Amino acid sequence: MGGGSSDLAGGVIDGVIFYDLDRLVRQPRDLEDLIDIVEHTQRPVVGATGGRMNLVNDSDRHMAPMMCVMALKPS
């Protein structure tokens, strides 16, 4: 997610809408960092497609790492 993470953590932006999880983060570590920020700030990070994942929800935060790994498998 790059610079967007620091903007979310710093309150420059109020939330993030992403198309697909693999477009939001490229590595599982990036997702872990983002989840830490979401847990701390409680700002929404919401998917626009599929099941509309929202990383503010505990269940979605637990599912996201598995989805990230699956999305990275082809590469």
Side-chain angles (χ1 to χ4, degrees):
M1 189 171 158
S5 293
S6 60
D7 288 346
L8 186 64
V12 174
I13 57 176
D14 294 327
V16 174
I17 298 173
F18 60 91
Y19 183 74
D20 281 320
L21 188 59
D22 63 337
R23 297 289 161 225
L24 178 65
V25 296
R26 297 292 182 190
Q27 297 295 322
R29 182 67 218 162
D30 297 336
L31 179 62
E32 292 173 23
D33 292 342
L34 179 59
I35 287 172
D36 288 345
I37 291 168
V38 170
E39 288 177 333
H40 178 73
T41 65
Q42 292 298 302
R43 291 191 175 95
V45 176
V46 180
T49 60
R52 295 198 180 258
M53 176 177 285
N54 184 346
L55 295 180
V56 171
N57 299 329
D58 286 336
S59 60
D60 288 350
R61 279 197 308 270
H62 286 57
M63 180 66 75
M66 291 180 278
M67 293 177 68
C68 183
V69 169
M70 293 301 290
L72 292 172
K73 187 178 180 185
S75 61

